[in-house]
Amino acid sequence: MSDPKRPLPRADEFDTRDFWSATKNKEFKYQQCSNCETIIFYSRRHCTGCTEGNLEWKTATGRGTIYTFSVVRQSYHPFFRNQVPYAVAWIDMDEGPRILSNIVGVTDPMNDLKIGQAVTVEWEEHEDLCIPLFKPA
Amino acid sequence: MSQKRDAAIVGIHEYPSRDVEGEISPLQIKAESAAKALSDAGLNWSDVDAIYDAGDGGGMSGLNIAEYFGLNPNVIDTTGVGGSSYEFHAAHAKRDIAAGKAKVALLTYGSTAHSNARAIGVGGRGGGSMHPAENMDAFAGMTLIANYAMVAHRHMHQYGTTSEQLAEISVATRYHAMRNPEAVRAMEDLEFLDIRETTINDVVNSRMIADPLHLLECCMISDGGGAVVIASPEVARDCRKPPVWILGSGEATKYPKNGGDITSSAAVQSAPQAFGEAGVTPGEIDIAMIYDSFSITVLTLLEDLGFCKKGEGGAWVSGGRLRFDNPNGPALNTDGGGLSSNHPGMRGIFLLIEAARQLRGESTSQVKDARLAVAHGNGGMLGSRHSAGTIILGRD
Ligand SMILES: [Zn+2]
């Protein structure tokens, strides 16, 4: 029996499929409206800032900071129960998008991580896409 | 300030068992609670002309629930926004009654979350989804508790809030639960260890579930349900119990925003609507029925409702302020709350029920001469997308 796997996003979800598709090349994509300059993330087909939206895809550097995080000590999920303790965090990318992810590459997350700390994307490879995890910069 | 008295809570029932051992269904809990709440009001099934339902009985409830109850309502409202659905329902019932569309509104709730061993409090998340927001979040393994824990952590970072301050909320609700025989039985049936009043040390020394939230800062997972009957002034006048007037209401949702502030909730939007309509201020409130899924939920909501300034909640709740016998008040969750009495998944109906008990003088932790209450429900997840329903209640 194979080990339980991380739950992966659907590649066919209409609004976010282009974001996930770009992760194959380890690119972190986000949208910005050329009409009103609103940053759109998660990606969508419409601009949430104006009705004359023209959304352009941009590529983030992968750098950001920890807005907040928690260390999960208890989970009943078949994959995550074997990962505890692990850090879940909201990351503010330097370009503006805020993304929910995990912070990896630390031995003691509660003591090794701090709110406001600089992090950088660490791609976890899967068959059809990559998952944007983060590690201390 | 003229207060409108368009509709009142006239009947209430809280289903007494928190562990039905898989023997009855959510729909059956809803129907039994409805009958008892109607009886409490001195009304009958045939008086009901409006139904509000959050879909907790399963299926397409707008189509099914009237048939199950055997009613022919003129108003059918299936607003489902999670745990605060019942505050939304109370707001809509008041609006529909004031508009002359209905005279007697029925709100019901039933859940067998405990029997189903649904891991509301400690589970993980599933895989990807055809909803775009969920399709972005699923990979990270954010448990429900971690979602709230991230609010708590940011609150601590931004304002210096401490675990000891958050623990005040758990201690106050347990203090009230120990005076409520149904809450004590709930904790026994759900096999709580060491059922007694707690101290701040008990809470901060309990097991860490998701930093910085400890076990005793997390709600229970119970079975349960209840019903609320809301009526027009003409009907209310002839009911068996004194009316509990809905003086104001507010609704809102909030969701993650790039660069947004996670430490404040949708209550920032719903509370001014409700207090403004009622013409009262937080300082006048005797009873604060605030959705206590976790300690941080209450602290955040107290600030956002305007009881104190943003970031000052920690100091404000300190010193046992929220206990029913503390004259500084308000009294918090005097039934024992979701932390220590009843949390089958969507607790919002119990906020209305216990507020009504207080304003009738029927609580097991009765505040002497309680006149004004706020019931504030939070649905969804505080740290991401959530709903806020604020209801201000008053007696004659
Ligand atoms: Zn635009």
Side-chain angles (χ1 to χ4, degrees):
Chain A
M1 217 174 83
S2 61
D3 289 337
K5 294 284 194 323
R6 176 188 291 279
L8 295 176
R10 293 182 61 138
D12 59 343
E13 194 286 306
F14 288 92
D15 282 297
T16 56
R17 59 191 172 191
D18 290 342
F19 172 84
W20 289 114
S21 175
T23 66
K24 276 184 265 188
N25 304 322
K26 301 190 176 175
E27 289 181 326
F28 191 110
K29 295 277 193 183
Y30 66 99
Q31 296 162 301
Q32 186 167 22
C33 178
S34 62
N35 185 43
C36 74
E37 299 189 345
T38 301
I39 302 268
I40 310 289
F41 190 84
Y42 59 88
S43 53
R44 263 156 275 195
R45 191 158 173 259
H46 70 285
C47 179
T48 56
C50 71
T51 55
E52 310 297 320
N54 180 30
L55 300 186
E56 293 178 350
W57 285 98
K58 305 208 164 178
T59 306
T61 56
R63 288 192 293 268
T65 55
I66 300 174
Y67 175 69
T68 185
F69 71 99
S70 175
V71 179
V72 178
R73 310 293 183 111
Q74 178 174 323
S75 171
Y76 292 139
H77 187 280
F79 173 76
F80 289 106
R81 68 191 303 169
N82 298 320
Q83 308 299 313
V84 296
Y86 61 92
V88 175
W90 287 104
I91 308 294
D92 282 339
M93 307 295 289
D94 286 357
E95 295 82 3
R98 179 175 291 174
I99 184 171
L100 183 72
S101 185
N102 299 138
I103 301 171
V104 295
V106 288
T107 47
D108 179 4
M110 203 57 207
N111 289 312
D112 295 350
L113 299 176
K114 297 238 170 335
I115 287 176
Q117 188 173 338
V119 290
T120 185
V121 71
E122 167 92 341
W123 296 100
E124 183 184 87
E125 295 177 13
H126 293 266
E127 200 169 327
D128 295 319
L129 48 78
C130 295
I131 294 291
L133 305 179
F134 289 81
K135 63 181 181 188
Chain B
M1 185 95 194
S2 70
Q3 253 173 14
K4 282 209 202 153
R5 303 202 161 195
D6 292 329
I9 294 175
V10 295
I12 53 174
H13 181 72
E14 181 174 5
Y15 192 80
S17 175
R18 313 294 196 263
D19 182 7
V20 302
E21 298 178 335
E23 293 297 316
I24 72 169
S25 73
L27 274 176
Q28 291 173 324
I29 293 172
K30 285 162 77 78
E32 181 178 327
S33 298
K36 289 214 155 69
L38 286 164
S39 173
D40 179 55
L43 297 171
N44 211 322
W45 287 110
S46 57
D47 295 309
V48 176
D49 58 4
I51 287 190
Y52 300 80
D53 199 89
D56 43 301
M60 191 181 284
S61 71
L63 197 54
N64 300 328
I65 194 71
E67 176 186 357
Y68 185 73
F69 289 158
L71 301 173
N72 296 289
N74 301 322
V75 173
I76 296 136
D77 180 324
T78 55
T79 303
V81 287
S84 65
S85 295
Y86 303 92
E87 282 66 45
F88 280 61
H89 292 172
H92 299 177
K94 169 179 176 285
R95 190 175 69 199
D96 296 338
I97 289 168
K101 289 286 184 188
K103 291 188 174 62
V104 176
L106 176 62
L107 288 55
T108 62
Y109 175 46
S111 165
T112 52
H114 173 72
S115 288
N116 300 350
R118 246 181 65 199
I120 297 176
V122 285
R125 303 284 303 280
S129 159
M130 283 306 277
H131 188 278
E134 290 170 7
N135 204 45
M136 292 302 297
D137 291 354
F139 75 80
M142 175 178 62
T143 57
L144 175 62
I145 300 176
N147 180 292
Y148 286 75
M150 285 196 280
V151 178
H153 195 182
R154 185 72 198 185
H155 204 284
M156 290 173 164
H157 173 80
Q158 238 164 279
Y159 311 114
T161 308
T162 65
S163 286
E164 286 73 15
Q165 291 171 335
L166 286 166
E168 289 271 359
I169 287 148
S170 306
V171 169
T173 51
R174 179 63 67 84
Y175 185 70
H176 298 150
M178 294 311 295
R179 285 155 177 78
N180 177 359
E182 281 185 13
V184 172
R185 203 183 113 202
M187 291 188 280
E188 289 167 355
D189 287 351
L190 299 178
E191 297 174 1
F192 273 41
L193 301 172
D194 206 12
I195 300 167
R196 57 174 172 79
E197 287 178 15
T198 50
T199 64
I200 287 167
N201 275 338
D202 291 331
V203 177
V204 300
N205 290 326
S206 64
R207 185 161 51 92
M208 193 70 88
I209 305 291
D211 300 76
L213 294 181
H214 305 81
L215 178 66
L216 292 180
E217 297 178 78
C218 304
C219 63
M220 63 169 67
I221 303 167
S222 58
D223 297 334
V228 168
V229 180
I230 296 170
S232 68
E234 297 73 32
V235 173
R237 199 173 298 131
D238 295 327
C239 284
R240 286 177 48 198
K241 297 281 178 67
V244 172
W245 299 102
I246 301 175
L247 302 176
S249 68
E251 312 172 18
T253 60
K254 194 181 173 196
Y255 43 86
K257 274 192 185 149
N258 300 319
D261 182 359
I262 205 175
T263 65
S264 69
S265 74
V268 167
Q269 186 178 340
S270 66
Q273 301 174 44
F275 281 102
E277 183 184 359
V280 303
T281 62
E284 297 174 81
I285 294 289
D286 303 302
I287 308 299
M289 293 302 302
I290 313 287
Y291 204 110
D292 58 337
S293 44
F294 301 95
S295 56
I296 184 63
T297 323
V298 174
L299 195 82
T300 302
L301 295 176
L302 285 169
E303 293 173 345
D304 294 346
L305 287 165
F307 283 98
C308 60
K309 287 202 188 111
K310 177 51 62 185
E312 295 179 358
W316 194 80
V317 302
S318 293
R321 176 180 206 132
L322 303 172
R323 291 185 182 196
F324 82 107
D325 50 8
N326 186 314
N328 293 325
L332 173 76
N333 299 349
T334 47
D335 56 347
L339 291 165
S340 289
S341 176
N342 204 353
H343 194 289
M346 300 199 295
R347 194 185 142 65
I349 201 164
F350 307 126
L351 306 174
L352 299 171
I353 290 172
E354 174 66 10
R357 287 196 198 105
Q358 281 283 356
L359 299 182
R360 288 172 169 189
E362 296 176 351
S363 174
T364 48
S365 293
Q366 184 62 45
V367 172
K368 196 166 172 294
D369 203 34
R371 302 195 68 82
L372 286 168
V374 60
H376 181 90
N378 184 81
M381 296 199 224
L382 186 70
S384 48
R385 53 202 62 83
H386 63 269
S387 60
T390 312
I391 297 289
I392 310 294
L393 296 161
R395 66 174 210 207
D396 273 328

